[in-house]
């Protein structure tokens, strides 16, 4: 198993924009072979913080995910979001 975890900090007061945009990525990713968990979760104590947790069968599954069309679409979408920082 392979775990990917991290956090995304949004500019103040913009976290809802992220969740409005990320749904299609999550839905498509959860259908991928090798994906057990793919979750973006709001931090209950920090209104601008999102936590990411992914669980994959192996590196090959993650590599296929990273090369998928929905990741390419997400990269274009996320470029327009008010993300202050990301640490994965």
């Amino acid at each position: 198993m392979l775990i990917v975890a991290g956090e995304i900090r949004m500019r103040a007061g913009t976290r809802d924009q992220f969740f409005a945009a990320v749904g299609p990525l999550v839905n498509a990713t959860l259908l991928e072979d090798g994906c057990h968990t793919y979750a973006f979760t709001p931090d209950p104590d920090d209104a601008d913080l999102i936590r990411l947790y992914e669980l994959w069968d192996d590196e090959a599954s993650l590599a296929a995910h990273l090369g998928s069309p929905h990741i390419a679409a997400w990269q274009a979408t996320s470029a327009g979001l008010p993300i202050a920082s990301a640490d994965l």
Side-chain angles (χ1 to χ4, degrees):
M1 292 293 204
L2 179 66
I3 294 171
V4 177
E7 58 185 37
I8 300 165
R9 178 158 301 279
M10 301 299 292
R11 291 192 190 123
T14 64
R15 187 170 74 179
D16 289 345
Q17 286 180 271
F18 181 91
F19 285 109
V22 79
L25 171 66
V26 172
N27 293 336
T29 300
L30 288 171
L31 297 175
E32 291 182 48
D33 289 336
C35 179
H36 295 273
T37 303
Y38 195 77
F40 293 91
T41 307
D43 186 288
D45 298 318
D46 186 333
D48 301 319
L49 189 61
I50 299 162
R51 302 216 180 261
L52 167 67
Y53 182 82
E54 305 175 26
L55 181 60
W56 296 92
D57 277 343
D58 49 34
E59 289 185 35
S61 298
L62 178 59
H65 165 67
L66 294 174
S68 69
H70 47 272
I71 279 291
W74 172 246
Q75 289 171 338
T77 298
S78 65
L81 292 174
I83 296 172
S85 65
D87 184 20
L88 305 176

